[in-house]
């Protein structure tokens, strides 16, 4: 059985869909192991085309190529890939080494697609390189070598997978005469071991070196000439098991290539990071602001509390023209009857009457009178912890805010007001519309350090509803609460009580609902801002897509080389996939790092100016940033990766 037989091989190219141009015509050739065959012909005679067909790079031909009794026609794509990897070693005129890999890695790359161990591969690659005389250049890059040395690396790479056939397309075309001879000697020594060497040349001198010359003219075999006997050594051909380029190997390739284009990749990653950074910062800001507001609301409002007010529409033009939700409303006092209605709602534990008197009242202490802008009744929202000195007001007592107490006494002595008697006067009108002065002698129960609650500003002084009620009764006036606080026994009952309050014709106090609305708006605003920032994510995705596309174009040749030495489409896709994933991860790391730094910086500034930092960057957001960045990049990489995988290896190698 011959090692390689070519039978009735015809090949034609169809140029731009027009008529076919015949390049090879009825080629019939036999090859044996240990032969060193020179295919001699002028430029354009079809020599490279023949090599590509033998090498399994081109399957668009008529006739048969039979290797060890097996025809290439009808082999599946993965079988052809395996054939290229295991049986064939390619050597090219222009060396076709991968520029960003070391000499050692260039030789090991083909072995990475076999199931040999890393150690075996390294040992074998070093062995071959030593045999070939490159022992001292293992870690150099191709551009640090001379032409002859580069071709030796290419030969070492072709030998790495122990092929049965070496195809060398003009291997000495770029070398001077002396170096050419050394390379030919080297190839001859390989033939001695029982490998079939087929070289292509247009030089009679080079052709004379081999054991047989095949003269090609215009796609036809013109003449065959035997120069000497083939080498009879028997090369044992072992069955090799192929495997995919491992993820580790593809990541290594990706990292090597990325460091080669470090500047560009850093710029791209930084550009991509800006999008992720703004999204993460916006989410963190939204998170911080809503968290802050929720804390503020929860600390001033009891969760068991359902506040009840009675609203009436304001009469007038607004009502006539606009009956929609914008209708003006005002609250009106609640009656004893209302109190009973609310008290009888299911699950209501207790009901508290509250009211606020704005203006028209003053407190007198030691002949000093101080006007109260607001007098409120004590509710649960006043926390004992906020009382600087003294206690909550009991019957006939009053709690003063620190600010008010300072005005009534002085900055230095205001705390000594606790336990002192003060007089409260309220100017009211009776039913006959006559002015009446409501008066009460009260003991100061304590000083209250009111928390700054922003929009919910409190009163200057607080007293029990009953105390105020009694003072009003003395003047035959009835005090009506402006609001009722219904307390649920259980947090689960709150919603039910709220609903029942609504059904009975009352509403919850506007402050609580305004706060609720504010937090809703804030959440919406934070999402809107994040979505706008999300547009920049799209931009970074497109940018990465463009860069990977450029990378595919730049590396067309490298892809061709990898395919020629047996890489599958899958392997090529994997290399580009690794690169896009790495780029995305890198960009995510920059983004999260920057978000972290910026949040610390801004929070510091905010704490200094407002006393509170509003950017709450959580580990979840950081993880989100990393994952989204990698994901976008991987998605953007899908198109360029499959474009790279689909490249025709033959075309890629023609590409300059
Ligand atoms: P050689 O290697 O002997 O110089 P080739 O085999 O490269 O010649 O080319 C033989 C002929 O086929 C040339 O005329 C060349 O222009 C043509 N040819 C080679 N590749 C292609 C291709 N991909 N498409 C069209 N024509 C091609
Ligand atoms: Mg050629």
């Amino acid at each position: 059985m011959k090692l390689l037989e070519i039978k009735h091989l015809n090949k034609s190219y169809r140029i731009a869909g027009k008529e076919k141009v015949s390049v090879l015509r009825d080629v019939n050739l036999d090859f044996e192991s240990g032969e060193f065959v020179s295919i001699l012909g002028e430029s354009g005679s079809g020599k490279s085309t023949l090599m590509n067909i033998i090498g399994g790079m081109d399957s668009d031909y008529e006739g048969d190529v039979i290797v060890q009794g097996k025809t290439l026609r009808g082999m599946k794509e993965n079988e052809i890939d395996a054939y290229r990897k295991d049986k064939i070693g390619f050597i090219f005129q222009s060396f076709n080494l991968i520029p960003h890999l070391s000499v050692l890695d260039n030789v090991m790359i083909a072995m990475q697609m076999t199931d040999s161990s890393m150690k075996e591969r390294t040992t074998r690659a070093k062995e071959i390189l030593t045999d070939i005389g490159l022992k001292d250049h293992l870690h150099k890059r191709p551009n640090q070598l001379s032409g002859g040395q580069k071709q030796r690396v290419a030969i070492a790479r072709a030998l790495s997978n122990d092929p049965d056939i070496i195809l060398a397309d003009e291997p000495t075309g770029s070398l001077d005469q002396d170096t050419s001879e050394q390379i030919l000697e080297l190839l001859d020594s390989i033939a001695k071991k029982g490998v079939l060497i087929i070289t292509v040349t247009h030089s009679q001198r080079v052709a004379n070196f081999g054991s047989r010359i095949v003269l090609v003219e215009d796609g036809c075999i013109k003449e065959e000439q035997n120069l000497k006997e083939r080498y009879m050594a028997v090369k044992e051909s072992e069955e090799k098991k192929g495997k995919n380029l491992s993820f580790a190997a593809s990541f290594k390739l990706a990292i090597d290539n990325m460091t080669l284009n470090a500047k560009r990749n850093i710029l791209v990653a930084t550009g991509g990071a800006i999008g992720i950074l703004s999204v993460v910062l916006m989410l963190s800001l939204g998170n911080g602001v809503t968290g802050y507001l929720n804390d503020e609301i929860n600390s001033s409002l009891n969760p068991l509390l359902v506040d009840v007010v009675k609203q009436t529409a304001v009469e007038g033009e607004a009502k006539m023209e606009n009956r929609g939700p914008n209708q003006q409303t005002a609250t009106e006092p609640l009656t004893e009857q209302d109190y009973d209605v609310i008290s009888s709602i299911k699950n209501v534990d207790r009901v508290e009457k509250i009211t606020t008197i704005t203006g028209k009242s003053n407190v007198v202490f030691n002949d000093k009178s101080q006007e109260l802008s607001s007098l409120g009744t004590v509710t649960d929202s006043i926390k004992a912890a906020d009382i600087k000195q003294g206690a909550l007001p009991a019957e006939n007592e009053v709690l003063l805010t620190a600010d008010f107490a300072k005005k009534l006494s002085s900055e230095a002595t205001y705390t000594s007001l606790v336990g002192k008697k003060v007089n409260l006067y309220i100017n009211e009108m009776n039913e006959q519309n006559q002015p009446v002065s409501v008066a009460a002698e009260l003991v100061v129960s304590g000083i209250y350090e009111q928390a700054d609650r922003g929009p919910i500003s409190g009163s200057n002084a607080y007293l029990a509803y009953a105390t105020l009620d009694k003072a009003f009764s003395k003047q035959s006036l009835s005090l009506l609460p402006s609001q009722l606080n219904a307390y649920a026994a259980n947090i689960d009952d709150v919603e039910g009580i709220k609903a029942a309050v609504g059904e009975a014709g009352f509403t919850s106090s506007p402050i609580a609902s305004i706060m609720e609305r504010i937090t809703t708006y804030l959440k919406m605003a934070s999402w809107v801002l994040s979505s706008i920032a999300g547009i920049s994510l799209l931009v970074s995705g497109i940018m990465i897509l463009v860069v990977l596309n450029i990378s595919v174009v730049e590396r067309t040749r490298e892809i061709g080389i990898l395919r020629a030495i047996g890489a599958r489409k899958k392997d090529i896709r994997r290399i580009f996939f690794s690169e896009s994933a790495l780029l995305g991860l890198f960009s995510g790391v920059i983004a999260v790092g920057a978000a972290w730094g910026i949040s610390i910086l801004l929070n510091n500034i905010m704490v200094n100016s407002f006393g509170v930092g509003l950017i709450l960057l959580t580990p979840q957001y950081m993880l989100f940033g990393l994952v989204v960045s990698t994901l976008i990049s991987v998605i953007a990489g899908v198109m360029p990766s499959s474009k790279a995988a689909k490249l025709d290896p033959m075309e890629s190698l023609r590409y300059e």
Side-chain angles (χ1 to χ4, degrees):
M1 186 175 63
K2 305 272 186 212
L3 175 55
L4 171 66
E5 291 166 89
I6 295 170
K7 290 189 172 154
H8 305 294
L9 181 65
N10 280 286
K11 165 78 186 179
S12 48
Y13 286 111
R14 197 187 285 277
I15 298 159
K18 286 187 203 130
E19 60 188 295
K20 288 181 172 183
V21 177
S22 186
V23 178
L24 292 175
R25 299 159 216 232
D26 198 33
V27 173
N28 289 283
L29 285 168
D30 283 353
F31 300 92
E32 300 262 24
S33 64
E35 276 194 288
F36 186 157
V37 184
S38 304
I39 301 197
L40 177 64
E42 285 176 6
S43 171
S45 53
K47 308 180 297 292
S48 296
T49 304
L50 178 63
M51 296 292 258
N52 287 336
I53 291 171
I54 297 172
M57 302 252 275
D58 183 358
S59 50
D60 178 26
Y61 55 86
E62 283 155 32
D64 249 334
V65 177
I66 300 158
V67 179
Q68 290 163 338
K70 253 181 102 178
T71 170
L72 292 192
R73 180 170 299 289
M75 272 194 189
K76 290 196 209 83
E77 194 176 277
N78 60 343
E79 287 174 304
I80 288 275
D81 288 337
Y83 163 75
R84 269 207 305 276
K85 187 169 64 186
D86 301 335
K87 303 271 187 235
I88 303 288
F90 267 107
I91 298 164
F92 309 89
Q93 173 179 351
S94 49
F95 322 124
N96 280 341
L97 300 175
I98 297 172
H100 54 86
L101 295 184
S102 69
V103 165
L104 189 62
D105 284 338
N106 260 294
V107 174
M108 281 168 65
I109 183 111
M111 289 192 275
Q112 272 172 344
M113 287 167 277
T114 64
D115 66 351
S116 53
S117 76
M118 180 73 182
K119 211 177 143 199
E120 281 168 7
R121 276 182 261 152
T122 317
T123 320
R124 179 154 169 74
K126 282 186 180 162
E127 228 172 69
I128 299 172
L129 283 164
T130 309
D131 279 354
I132 269 177
L134 289 175
K135 200 174 140 204
D136 302 328
H137 307 279
L138 297 183
H139 301 291
K140 286 192 179 162
R141 308 256 150 184
N143 63 3
Q144 295 168 300
L145 302 178
S146 71
Q149 287 170 324
K150 281 185 201 168
Q151 197 58 298
R152 280 167 197 271
V153 177
I155 292 170
R157 178 178 64 190
L159 288 174
S160 66
N161 275 345
D162 194 21
D164 298 315
I165 304 169
I166 284 188
L167 302 175
D169 194 348
E170 311 246 10
T172 58
S174 305
L175 304 175
D176 59 54
Q177 197 166 323
D178 282 354
T179 323
S180 293
E181 255 158 47
Q182 289 167 18
I183 293 296
L184 291 169
E185 297 278 7
L186 186 57
L187 290 173
D188 190 55
S189 72
I190 295 163
K192 257 185 200 134
K193 291 174 185 154
V195 178
L196 166 62
I197 310 276
I198 305 177
T199 59
V200 155
T201 182
H202 56 264
S203 144
Q204 184 70 51
R205 194 184 50 79
V206 170
N208 286 341
F209 201 92
S211 62
R212 176 155 64 116
I213 298 177
V214 175
L215 187 66
V216 185
E217 232 169 71
D218 206 13
C220 300
I221 309 296
K222 257 270 134 60
E223 197 189 315
E224 288 195 54
Q225 188 186 355
N226 270 313
L227 301 175
K228 49 189 175 207
E229 276 302 297
R230 69 174 173 117
Y231 298 108
M232 296 308 281
V234 179
K235 180 184 171 295
E236 51 196 275
S237 179
E238 71 216 80
E239 265 317 297
K240 283 163 264 182
K241 257 218 179 124
K243 75 167 194 190
N244 293 326
L245 191 67
S246 73
F247 265 110
S250 67
F251 270 100
K252 188 185 179 303
L253 276 177
I255 289 172
D256 281 339
N257 184 62
M258 283 176 79
T259 40
L260 195 76
N261 282 316
K263 223 186 238 164
R264 181 170 83 191
N265 284 313
I266 288 171
L267 278 175
V268 170
T270 310
I274 291 170
I276 300 284
L277 168 70
S278 37
V279 171
V280 168
L281 273 184
M282 284 305 153
L283 286 173
S284 305
L285 178 66
N287 185 29
V289 171
T290 37
Y292 169 74
L293 275 180
N294 274 336
D295 280 357
E296 287 296 294
I297 294 166
N298 285 340
S299 67
S300 53
L301 296 179
N302 184 333
L304 292 174
L305 166 73
V306 177
D307 37 12
V308 182
V309 293
K310 203 150 88 176
Q311 285 188 334
T312 41
V314 168
E315 297 286 330
E317 261 175 44
K319 194 178 174 187
M320 303 297 292
E321 284 169 9
N322 186 1
R323 283 161 189 276
N326 293 330
Q327 196 171 51
Q328 293 284 316
T329 54
T331 57
E332 70 180 63
L334 293 113
T335 60
E336 215 37 55
Q337 208 184 337
D338 295 333
Y339 179 85
D340 293 340
V341 170
I342 299 299
S343 305
S344 63
I345 288 174
K346 203 175 148 214
N347 294 326
V348 168
D349 190 40
R350 64 193 166 90
V351 180
E352 187 181 64
K353 292 174 182 174
I354 65 167
T355 194
T356 306
I357 294 170
T358 22
K360 63 187 179 183
S361 48
N362 58 312
V363 173
V364 177
F365 171 66
N366 276 355
D367 298 333
K368 188 176 180 189
S369 174
Q370 185 66 44
E371 212 169 300
L372 280 167
S373 57
S374 170
L375 172 68
T377 52
V378 144
T379 66
D380 276 15
S381 67
I382 294 175
K383 306 276 188 295
D386 292 331
I387 294 175
K388 203 174 154 68
Q389 193 153 359
L392 283 164
E395 183 98 28
N396 294 323
E397 287 185 338
V398 66
L399 176 69
L400 302 179
T401 60
D403 285 343
F404 184 77
K406 284 174 195 168
K407 283 185 203 154
L408 192 60
S409 173
S410 76
E411 182 81 41
T413 56
Y414 75 98
T415 48
S416 64
L417 278 174
V418 178
K420 301 272 165 57
K421 275 189 182 147
V422 295
N423 286 87
L424 168 71
Y425 299 100
I426 307 166
N427 303 315
E428 279 291 343
M429 295 285 188
N430 67 8
E431 273 164 28
Q432 288 77 43
N433 237 354
Q434 243 113 63
V436 178
S437 180
V438 175
E441 196 182 72
L442 304 169
V443 174
V444 176
S445 74
I447 306 292
Y448 176 51
E449 196 73 70
Q450 191 155 17
D452 179 15
R453 277 193 234 135
I456 344 169
S457 59
S459 297
N460 308 119
Y462 297 91
L463 71 181
Y465 189 87
T467 308
L468 200 58
D469 197 27
K470 216 170 66 188
F472 271 67
S473 308
K474 267 192 203 153
Q475 299 298 330
S476 313
L477 292 173
S478 57
L479 179 66
L480 292 179
S482 59
Q483 182 182 319
L484 294 176
N485 282 351
Y487 288 92
N490 200 311
I491 192 105
D492 299 332
D493 301 328
V494 170
E495 282 311 308
I497 294 172
K498 260 190 184 162
V501 164
E503 272 165 35
F506 302 95
T507 40
S508 271
S509 93
I511 286 179
S513 57
I514 283 170
M515 285 315 246
E516 234 164 70
R517 240 180 287 164
I518 288 174
T519 35
T520 315
Y521 290 156
L522 267 171
K523 262 185 205 147
M524 277 163 56
S526 132
W527 275 105
V528 168
L529 286 176
S530 310
S531 321
I532 292 170
I535 294 172
S536 48
L537 285 189
L538 195 72
V539 175
S540 24
I542 293 170
M543 196 170 62
I544 287 168
L545 187 119
V546 169
V547 168
L548 285 175
N549 255 316
I550 293 172
S551 180
V552 170
V553 173
E554 277 178 351
R555 290 157 71 197
T556 302
R557 201 172 181 84
E558 178 187 334
I559 294 163
I561 300 164
L562 288 171
R563 295 278 279 139
I565 61 178
R568 303 162 197 212
K569 287 183 178 175
K570 220 193 268 177
D571 301 322
I572 302 292
R573 196 173 292 124
R574 203 168 263 194
I575 291 169
F576 279 83
F577 170 85
S578 313
E579 233 175 278
S580 56
L582 274 178
L583 202 59
L585 191 67
F586 184 40
S587 159
V589 168
I590 294 178
V592 167
W596 186 69
I598 290 175
S599 70
I600 289 177
L601 191 78
L602 288 183
N603 276 340
N604 261 328
I605 294 173
M606 281 192 270
V607 166
N608 284 337
S609 26
F610 321 118
V612 59
L614 288 178
I615 299 180
L616 199 63
L617 178 63
T618 62
Q620 284 92 321
Y621 287 147
M622 293 191 180
L623 191 70
F624 171 84
L626 287 180
V627 169
V628 168
S629 173
T630 311
L631 216 63
I632 285 180
S633 193
V634 165
I635 292 170
V638 166
M639 245 163 61
S641 304
S642 61
K643 183 176 158 188
K646 278 192 199 127
L647 284 179
D648 178 347
M650 216 174 38
E651 285 296 314
S652 314
L653 286 172
R654 281 162 56 92
Y655 187 91
E656 292 290 345

